[in-house]
Amino acid sequence: MDAANALPAPEPEAAQGLSDRDREILEFERHWWKYAGAKEQAVREKFDMSSTRYYQVLNALIDRQEALEADPLLVRRLRRLRSQRQRQRSARRLGFEV
């Protein structure tokens, strides 16, 4: 094994702007369905925070440019899902279906 293969690949510059916890949250969102049991329980075990706090952190994270640059497909999908849920809640409050 030569020295070039022994060194880990450098992370993209955008990922360097994210904390370890931020990167772990993105990784968890990418693969959360692999965990046994409910997602809320996996969040509590892995991150030691309530599901409410987790979603607050996640929503702030997906609004950051660094997260978008680190994992554009995941962040765009999460943003799209969040927008759909917001539209559905607004429609229910106004009394019609979306």
Side-chain angles (χ1 to χ4, degrees):
M1 175 189 266
D2 61 19
N5 291 330
L7 296 175
E11 291 187 29
E13 192 170 318
Q16 292 176 359
L18 298 175
S19 70
D20 289 339
R21 183 185 73 166
D22 293 341
R23 284 191 292 275
E24 288 176 10
I25 288 174
L26 290 176
E27 182 66 24
F28 178 79
E29 279 299 313
R30 197 175 305 114
H31 301 289
W32 70 266
W33 49 270
K34 292 181 180 179
Y35 291 87
K39 183 177 181 181
E40 289 76 19
Q41 183 175 351
V43 164
R44 183 164 302 280
E45 290 171 3
K46 185 161 177 68
F47 300 108
D48 193 31
M49 64 174 78
S50 69
S51 58
T52 301
R53 180 65 185 143
Y54 172 80
Y55 286 113
Q56 289 171 342
V57 171
L58 177 63
N59 278 311
L61 176 60
I62 65 174
D63 286 334
R64 293 179 51 195
Q65 184 64 28
E66 294 93 348
L68 181 63
E69 291 170 3
D71 195 339
L73 293 176
L74 175 68
V75 171
R76 285 189 188 119
R77 180 175 60 85
L78 293 172
R79 287 178 178 179
R80 186 178 62 249
L81 292 171
R82 179 178 62 182
S83 294
Q84 287 173 348
R85 286 190 299 270
Q86 287 172 338
R87 281 193 301 274
Q88 289 171 346
R89 279 193 302 271
S90 295
R92 276 195 307 268
R93 278 189 223 123
L94 296 173
F96 57 89
E97 297 268 334
V98 173

